[in-house]
Amino acid sequence: MAIEFCPLEAAWGNWADWAAVLVGTGAAVGTIWVASVANRTSKRAAAIAEDAKAIAKQQSDQAVELREANAAILGRLLLHEVSSLPARLHSLLKPIIASVYKDGDKIRINNHQNLEQVLRDASYSMLPQSESVLERIHDLPDSLAPDLATLIGHCWTLRDMAYRMQGRVKQNDRKFIGQPDPWIYLGSPDDFNLLQEHLRFFVGLGADYANRFRSFVEVPAEDYSRFT
């Protein structure tokens, strides 16, 4: 039995094989191209990430440098005010003690003029420069900024106490024998005790802070023992 051979059929088989080869080759080339593009994209992304990291570090370094520069300026600006705080607070104590005395459950006034003056002085800010830059004190080191805010808070308390006490000093319509000054205090005697205690405590805080602040500004420490 003879086997018939069809050239056309063989040709078509060869073309099919070649087509399969071409399709496979194209798929391989496409895969390699996609992989190459992905690799380049990955390297580019890594480079962008490194650039972003470098920029972020540069910005962080600049922010730190700016804060340190601002802190140095604030230090010099507030140095005298902070350094003199203990002395200025202490100067209020003696006039208060000398201006009044306790008579039973009453406070008698020895020297109305001195008392009015010291209460007026206490009603003004002890840290006006610090209050004026309150929104910038965060530029100071973390060891100083919160404590300065605490001192400013004590200033506000002192001012409020002095202001209220001023309104309780009244002129007496009647003059009593042995009373050196025709003025009386209508508030509680404890008001003066609280004022003196607050001043003494404030002096101690101010002295401790002043030397820490002076150390930051790189000036010698001060002996505040005569005030505390």
Side-chain angles (χ1 to χ4, degrees):
M1 181 174 164
I3 299 176
E4 296 182 357
F5 178 76
C6 179
L8 183 59
E9 184 177 327
W12 275 110
N14 290 338
W15 279 109
D17 292 340
W18 279 108
V21 170
L22 289 173
V23 170
T25 302
V29 170
T31 301
I32 293 171
W33 179 79
V34 169
S36 176
V37 171
N39 184 54
R40 289 198 301 271
T41 302
S42 177
K43 289 182 178 180
R44 180 59 179 162
I48 292 174
E50 286 298 320
D51 290 344
K53 184 178 179 181
I55 292 173
K57 185 179 184 305
Q58 182 182 12
Q59 291 176 337
S60 176
D61 292 343
Q62 289 174 345
V64 171
E65 291 174 1
L66 179 61
R67 178 180 178 181
E68 290 176 349
N70 287 337
I73 293 172
L74 284 176
R76 290 295 174 177
L77 175 67
L78 305 179
L79 175 60
H80 176 71
E81 178 176 271
V82 170
S83 296
S84 64
L85 178 62
R88 288 182 287 115
L89 289 170
H90 186 264
S91 69
L92 300 177
L93 277 168
K94 282 188 177 180
I96 291 176
I97 295 172
S99 297
V100 298
Y101 67 96
K102 191 173 182 179
D103 181 15
D105 60 348
K106 301 286 185 182
I107 285 290
R108 303 298 184 189
I109 298 175
N110 283 326
N111 192 319
H112 166 257
Q113 185 175 355
N114 284 352
L115 180 61
E116 279 290 307
Q117 182 63 51
V118 72
L119 290 179
R120 188 180 303 111
D121 289 343
S123 66
Y124 295 126
S125 175
M126 290 290 166
L127 293 170
Q129 290 288 348
S130 300
E131 290 185 32
S132 70
V133 294
L134 183 58
E135 295 181 354
R136 293 169 52 199
I137 65 174
H138 61 271
D139 285 327
L140 292 170
D142 294 339
S143 59
L144 294 177
D147 290 343
L148 181 56
T150 299
L151 292 180
I152 292 174
H154 278 286
C155 281
W156 292 347
T157 300
L158 176 62
R159 291 165 64 181
D160 181 70
M161 293 173 70
Y163 177 77
R164 291 174 183 273
M165 291 175 70
Q166 277 183 287
R168 295 166 185 164
V169 177
K170 303 293 184 181
Q171 187 167 17
N172 196 352
D173 295 333
R174 295 181 295 172
K175 175 78 164 116
F176 294 96
I177 298 175
Q179 182 180 343
D181 206 313
W183 292 83
I184 57 174
Y185 183 73
L186 299 181
S188 168
D190 292 337
D191 291 347
F192 286 89
N193 293 332
L194 290 173
L195 180 61
Q196 292 175 56
E197 288 176 7
H198 181 76
L199 281 170
R200 291 190 179 99
F201 181 71
F202 200 176
V203 168
L205 285 183
D208 172 73
Y209 185 82
N211 271 332
R212 288 193 286 121
F213 197 89
R214 292 171 68 87
S215 176
F216 164 68
V217 185
E218 299 181 346
V219 297
E222 183 74 23
D223 181 12
Y224 292 107
S225 60
R226 63 190 184 280
F227 304 127
T228 59

